[in-house]
Amino acid sequence: LGMMQQAQGRVEPRNFAIDPSSLELKAGGVFLALSHSGTTYPTVWAARMVTRKAPGAHGFAMSADFDTVLANSIGQDLSQ
């Protein structure tokens, strides 16, 4: 995917069903990202987008495994 966008090492999500500019999640808001594997690209990208667009929001990730890409992408820390 990075090669398709000419951005090796950094891939931006494209073709979301929801326009990122219409995201209105305020500080204190909550979002939940679900992925069985914890590595589903659209879910990881959406969680990253929400985290970036709404820094005061609280994100939670659920998957079938610990320490996944999804959990790391929204800053969940298992050591706490």
Side-chain angles (χ1 to χ4, degrees):
L1 291 173
M3 291 172 58
M4 291 170 53
Q5 292 187 19
Q6 303 300 319
Q8 290 76 12
R10 180 76 175 127
V11 179
E12 286 295 320
R14 302 279 190 246
N15 299 323
F16 275 122
I18 299 172
D19 182 10
S21 65
S22 69
L23 177 67
E24 292 185 25
L25 186 61
K26 297 179 180 159
V30 176
F31 70 92
L32 177 63
L34 303 169
S35 167
H36 185 267
S37 67
T39 59
T40 306
Y41 286 120
T43 306
V44 170
W45 289 339
R48 287 177 180 168
M49 179 189 72
V50 172
T51 302
R52 191 171 45 234
K53 294 269 188 180
H58 304 284
F60 298 90
M62 291 180 68
S63 67
D65 206 351
F66 291 106
D67 197 26
T68 62
V69 173
L70 178 59
N72 291 331
S73 70
I74 64 171
Q76 283 186 340
D77 186 4
L78 297 175
S79 65
Q80 295 180 353

